Structures are given as C-alpha cells and as structure tokens.
Amino acid sequence: TNLRRVSGMDAKAGNETANGFAGARASLMGAALRENKAKPVNVPKGAPVYVSTPLATFIQKYKATCEKEGIAPSEQVLDGVSNPFNRTLCLELDATNSLTNPATVLSNRQLSLVCKVLSEGFPNAFRSLHLAHNGIDDKTVTEVSAYLVRSKSLVELDLSGNKIGRSGCHNLTQTLLQIGGGYLRTLDLSNNPIGDEAVQYLASFLKINPNLQTLNLGNVGAGTRALVFLANSLHANTNLTHLDISRPLCPDKNDEETTIHLAKSFRNNKSLKRLNMAKHRMREHGTMWIMDYIRTYNTTLTHLDLSSNSIPADGAKHIAKTLSSSDCKLEWLNLQANRLTNEGAIALARAIENNTTLKYLNLSYCSITEAGLVALCKAVGGNTTLKALQLSGNKFGPNARKAWRGLLGWPVSGYDGALHDKIDKTNKRAEGKVSSVSSSSSCCAAAAASHFLDVSEIDFVPLIAPI
C-alpha cells in the first residue's frame, strides 16, 4: 500500500471588476513614491550579502545597549541568538507559546531595542528574523522597516500573529517600495488586523517586486477589493511562488467574483506553485473557473488548498476533470470541510485511478459515506503515486471498513489487544504523537514492520506535516 502511516487523529481544520481598480492602483503606487520622496524604484541586483558575525559579539552589544537604556536584557532574545541549533543565521524571537507563558512575549520597547542594535551594528548578520506573536503594533513595526532599509542580508521576515494594522502595513509597504523590496524572499503577515485598504496597497508592491517568492496574507481582513488587486498583481508578477490568501472577508455569500479574478490570473502567471484559498466561500461556479484555468493555462501549481469552502458534488467533478488531465501538475490537494458527498467522492475516485502526480489528498469532513469510501478505496488500490489520504470525519459503514482493512493488510475480524498496544507504543516513539485510540475500539490491527499504525474505529488519517 502507498499509505505509509495511519492515525485516528482529526485534522479539523467579493463583485467589482479589475478595470475599475487600475487607476486606483496606479495612484497608490505614485503616492507611495511621492510620500517617500523617492526616485523610481531601484531594484537591488545580485545575491544577498552576509557578514559573518560571532553571536557573542551581538549578545555583548545587545547587553550594553540594554544597560545604557536602563532595561534588563530579555532572555527570549539571548536564547534566540545563542540557540545551538541555529545554523541558518536566523534570529528566532517568536512567542508562539505566549498564551501559556506570557514571559516569552517581547515588549515593544525590547523589540525597538533589538531592531536598533541590528540596524546600527549588525545589518547584514542574519538571513531570517522571526517576530511572530509578540504584540507588535503600528509604531514598533516602523523600527523593523528601518532595519529593512539597511539590511542586505535579510531574506525572510515573519510578523505573523501581531497587532499590525492599516498604518503599520502602509509604512512597511512604503519601505519595501522605496528599497525595491530589498532582498526579501519571504514575508508573513498572517493573522494581523491589516484590513482591506492596506492589502490593496501591498498588492501594488507585488506588481513591481522582483524578489519576493512567499507571501502569507491569511486572515488579515482582505475584502473583495483587495483580492481583486492581488489577482491583478499576479498577472504581472513573475516571481511569487507561494501565496496564502485564506480566510478573507467576503460579505456576500453569493458572490464569487474574487475567485473568478484569481482564476484568470493563471492565464499569465507562470511562477505560482502553492496557493491557499481556504474559506473563500467557493461553490460550484468558482470551482469551475479555478479548475478550468489551472487545467488550460497553468503548468506550475503543485499545491492547492481549497478547504473549508462550500464546494458541492458538481464542484468536485470539475476538480476530478483537472486531476484526470495529462497536464495536471497538482501533487498536494486539500478539500477538507466541503460538501462533496458520495457523488463527488466517486468522481474523484475515478480521477485518482489514472492520476500520476497527486501524492496527498485531504477529504476529511466532506459528508462521504459508504459508497464514496468504498469507491475511494478501490481507486487508491490501483494508484501508484498517492502517499497519503485523509478521511477523518466521514461515515465508515461495515463495507467501507472491510474494504479499507483489506487494502491496508489488517485482519477483517477479531481484535489483537497486545499487538494494538505494541503498535501504539511504536507510534509514540516514532511520531511523538499521543494516541487517540480507545481501548474499546472494535477495530483490529496488524502492520508490516515498515508501517507505523495508530488505529481508530472509523478513521484512517495519515500523519503528514502541513506545507
């Protein structure tokens, strides 16, 4: 079987046209250059410049600056710099466990001080700067912008999960326009209250940026106008490879205009490889546009996330048509939490039988029952490339259980508790996961030595890391 690791863990996871925004976009770009009193954008050329700096030197300078300012050095900063596993010149100041340990959150004063030390003494010492979940506001982000102006080495900036609003994003975008994007390759602004207007402004930067490859704008309050701006930017952008625009603000449930604009961008865009459009309220019409344009024009997209939309069975048929195409390049497809039903699952199963590119498919919580699950099982059995299929949250009946157990090589009846316990312990050692299997599970288990299995009563969910 191609399903290597199986678990019972759940994986829960607007209408104006483009022409109407062309003049506004030009005005925004012009205003940015006028406000910065800048000449036309000077695009940096060549590779980023790194200056080897002993970490002890940075720590010494940081402590001296703290003493001068009359504040205690932050352990979070010291640990982030002196991490023995830090071999990528990355300054890790994330506060990802801020809810359980508030002490890991840097104050705005501490963050300002760190950016000051970086700008004045170590502008080219780090490749990456991670400042997620630190409560950075619009005022503090100006310090980060000042560092960007001076740095010729920074290629990755993570500002996700902060409190950056419209003015903060506006300031950051002005800086990026002024320096032609610098050498930045990755920018993560997800989970910030940026708002629709600021995202429009940032989209104008995308149209001229020569270097940015990864942009995460998930859950930033992007509305209809911002999404259309972003779609227009993708027509001209030839460098962006990863784009996350999940969880936008789409007030009209019946409007799929933004999806159509994004689909049309595939006609000209030849660089995008990964696209996240989760929670776009996409239905059959929008799915048809996306899939038709991918199938007809796109030759680069390999990862597509359409989870938590409203895609019905007819939408799944459009997806299946694309998967059946010999020109399909998709390797990773997430359709979790859509209304595919058995009709959609059977259409996808027929496509999977002959698809030779797809490696990961998530069909969790798609209202699939017996007939659809059995059809998927038969399709997986004849597929030689699919490595992981997530099916949690669907309704396994006796025929579906029997079919999947047979495919995976498990006994069809009986229960070997000792073997189950052995597999459970192996999972914990190999995956570092806590088993969700109940001791009263009626499902039995057996596994080849090369497989790590965690068996639940109705779910077969491979453990696989997100992109």
Side-chain angles (χ1 to χ4, degrees):
T1 180
N2 297 316
L3 303 180
R4 294 291 182 183
R5 295 169 290 180
V6 182
S7 163
M9 297 179 62
D10 285 352
K12 284 267 187 193
N15 58 31
E16 298 184 15
T17 62
N19 292 335
F21 300 132
R25 183 175 65 252
S27 297
L28 280 169
M29 295 172 63
L33 297 176
R34 288 195 299 273
E35 289 178 29
N36 282 284
K37 298 180 181 179
K39 297 178 181 179
V41 175
N42 181 22
V43 176
K45 298 180 180 180
V49 178
Y50 305 109
V51 177
S52 180
T53 303
L55 296 179
T57 304
F58 177 85
I59 294 174
Q60 183 179 5
K61 177 66 175 177
Y62 170 67
K63 288 181 175 180
T65 306
C66 285
E67 184 177 356
K68 182 179 179 180
E69 296 290 332
I71 61 175
S74 168
E75 292 297 326
Q76 178 78 345
V77 176
L78 298 179
D79 292 343
V81 175
S82 58
N83 187 341
F85 300 103
N86 188 353
R87 298 186 177 92
T88 59
L89 299 174
C90 174
L91 184 53
E92 290 271 7
L93 301 180
D94 291 348
T96 52
N97 60 337
S98 57
L99 293 178
T100 57
N101 186 11
T104 62
V105 179
L106 295 176
S107 66
N108 285 335
R109 190 177 179 188
Q110 279 281 5
L111 286 166
S112 297
L113 193 146
V114 169
C115 290
K116 179 180 179 181
V117 173
L118 288 171
S119 298
E120 294 180 355
F122 307 90
N124 303 317
F126 295 97
R127 289 174 52 94
S128 306
L129 179 59
H130 293 182
L131 298 171
H133 306 285
N134 275 295
I136 297 175
D137 56 19
D138 290 344
K139 181 178 180 181
T140 309
V141 80
T142 60
E143 304 288 347
V144 179
S145 296
Y147 170 51
L148 275 175
V149 171
R150 299 201 60 184
S151 177
K152 294 183 179 179
S153 66
L154 196 70
V155 297
E156 181 181 1
L157 178 60
D158 185 354
L159 295 171
S160 62
N162 284 293
K163 299 178 180 179
I164 302 172
R166 181 185 63 83
S167 61
C169 183
H170 190 276
N171 177 277
L172 183 63
T173 305
Q174 280 185 310
T175 300
L176 291 172
L177 284 166
Q178 180 182 345
I179 64 176
Y183 293 93
L184 207 59
R185 301 289 193 272
T186 300
L187 177 61
D188 191 343
L189 292 171
S190 60
N191 299 305
N192 280 285
I194 291 172
D196 189 75
E197 183 182 337
V199 177
Q200 295 175 50
Y201 197 44
L202 187 59
S204 66
F205 160 70
L206 270 184
K207 193 166 185 179
I208 62 173
N209 175 258
N211 294 321
L212 196 67
Q213 296 176 353
T214 300
L215 178 62
N216 191 337
L217 293 175
N219 193 29
V220 296
T224 303
R225 186 180 290 262
L227 291 174
V228 173
F229 267 56
L230 283 168
N232 290 340
S233 298
L234 290 176
H235 281 282
N237 187 287
T238 58
N239 299 282
L240 200 67
T241 60
H242 297 50
L243 177 63
D244 187 333
I245 48 175
S246 59
R247 292 171 289 172
L249 294 178
C250 299
D252 189 349
K253 294 182 179 180
N254 299 314
D255 182 17
E256 294 190 86
E257 191 72 18
T258 56
T259 301
I260 295 172
H261 279 290
L262 287 164
K264 289 181 177 179
S265 69
F266 288 125
R267 176 179 293 177
N268 298 317
N269 185 280
K270 305 299 180 184
S271 63
L272 202 62
K273 296 180 180 179
R274 302 189 177 194
L275 176 63
N276 188 339
M277 293 181 67
K279 292 190 175 181
H280 272 243
R281 295 181 176 175
M282 193 183 305
R283 294 173 303 285
E284 190 269 337
H285 188 61
T287 308
M288 177 192 70
W289 277 85
I290 289 287
M291 289 297 142
D292 284 356
Y293 271 78
I294 289 177
R295 185 173 63 253
T296 306
Y297 299 105
N298 186 272
T299 58
T300 58
L301 197 70
T302 59
H303 290 58
L304 180 62
D305 191 335
L306 299 179
S307 62
S308 300
N309 281 289
S310 300
I311 302 174
D314 287 341
K317 293 177 182 178
H318 293 296
I319 298 173
K321 187 176 180 180
T322 297
L323 292 176
S324 300
S325 171
S326 59
D327 297 324
C328 177
K329 305 296 182 183
L330 286 175
E331 299 177 3
W332 193 100
L333 179 61
N334 187 355
L335 298 175
Q336 174 180 306
N338 282 286
R339 300 175 297 187
L340 305 186
T341 68
N342 285 339
E343 186 179 354
I346 292 172
L348 289 172
R350 291 169 180 163
I352 291 172
E353 289 179 349
N354 300 314
N355 181 277
T356 59
T357 60
L358 198 65
K359 298 178 181 178
Y360 169 86
L361 178 61
N362 190 340
L363 296 177
S364 301
Y365 302 94
C366 285
S367 303
I368 306 172
T369 57
E370 191 91 329
L373 293 168
V374 170
L376 286 168
C377 181
K378 293 179 180 178
V380 169
N383 184 285
T384 60
T385 55
L386 191 68
K387 303 300 180 184
L389 175 63
Q390 290 188 296
L391 292 172
S392 62
N394 294 298
K395 297 181 180 180
F396 281 75
N399 292 333
R401 288 196 193 126
K402 181 178 180 180
W404 280 99
R405 288 171 186 162
L407 176 65
L408 295 170
W410 301 348
V412 175
S413 62
Y415 178 72
D416 188 341
L419 179 59
H420 179 279
D421 292 340
K422 181 179 180 181
I423 293 171
D424 185 29
K425 292 178 182 178
T426 304
N427 269 325
K428 291 178 180 180
R429 290 197 304 270
E431 302 293 346
K433 302 287 185 181
V434 178
S435 173
S436 62
V437 179
S438 168
S439 60
S440 63
S441 173
S442 62
C443 186
C444 57
S450 62
H451 292 185
F452 298 107
L453 303 183
D454 181 7
V455 186
S456 75
E457 185 172 1
I458 61 173
D459 296 335
F460 308 104
V461 187
L463 296 172
I464 188 164
I467 60 173

